[in-house]
Amino acid sequence: MEAFKIGSLIFLPLFLLSCEGGTTFTKVIKNDSSETVTVKLYQSVLSNDQTFNIGPKQKKTIFWTDNERRFVDETYECTAEIDSVELSVSNGKKLMKSMLDNNNWDKDSKGGRNSMEKCTFTITDSDLE
């Protein structure tokens, strides 16, 4: 019995330390405009396409996934998981900046065993025409 306790004290911490981490990927649309925005997202990661209605002054998470054993570096681009996107704005307005341009996203990264890549695309009235 004593050998079992000693073995448990040795192998349990090793088992817990061997658990691998990963990265949580999140994409958020922040609608700071006075219009309603509808986003249809086509993603390579998911087989089903999704449509999101985002009202004025609201934000919505349009993509979330947690990938074990996947880590990225500073070259990760927020548009990586997006194949294409359809975006429409109320009152017939058009968005003048592209969601497929990585420079239009704000990225918040956290490294380590439980990494995070949170990307936010902000729409303001000045982005609409």
Side-chain angles (χ1 to χ4, degrees):
M1 185 67 169
E2 190 68 30
F4 176 77
K5 288 181 184 177
I6 292 173
S8 295
L9 289 174
I10 293 172
F11 290 109
L12 182 62
L14 288 174
F15 174 76
L16 292 175
L17 288 174
S18 68
C19 294
E20 296 182 42
T23 304
T24 300
F25 297 91
T26 308
K27 295 186 190 333
V28 175
I29 302 293
K30 184 177 177 186
N31 182 9
D32 279 346
S33 79
S34 55
E35 303 294 335
T36 297
V37 175
T38 301
V39 177
K40 185 165 186 179
L41 189 64
Y42 300 93
Q43 306 166 71
S44 57
V45 177
L46 301 174
S47 60
N48 60 331
D49 306 323
Q50 298 178 326
T51 301
F52 303 91
N53 291 312
I54 308 162
K57 309 300 180 198
Q58 293 182 344
K59 66 180 176 180
K60 191 168 282 193
T61 299
I62 63 166
F63 177 86
W64 182 94
T65 188
D66 191 33
N67 292 59
E68 291 183 26
R69 297 180 303 276
R70 179 177 176 208
F71 296 95
V72 297
D73 59 21
E74 65 278 349
T75 62
Y76 171 77
E77 294 190 350
C78 290
T79 57
E81 295 86 7
I82 301 173
D83 286 337
S84 64
V85 64
E86 290 177 26
L87 191 136
S88 60
V89 182
S90 61
N91 290 330
K93 293 187 178 182
K94 292 185 180 183
L95 180 65
M96 301 312 292
K97 68 180 184 180
S98 173
M99 286 184 64
L100 297 177
D101 182 348
N102 190 61
N103 296 316
N104 291 329
W105 291 81
D106 295 316
K107 182 169 70 165
D108 181 21
S109 300
K110 181 186 100 176
R113 190 166 154 227
N114 295 311
S115 297
M116 174 201 70
E117 295 294 332
K118 181 179 180 183
C119 298
T120 303
F121 184 86
T122 303
I123 300 170
T124 64
D125 282 327
S126 64
D127 298 322
L128 304 176
E129 190 173 282

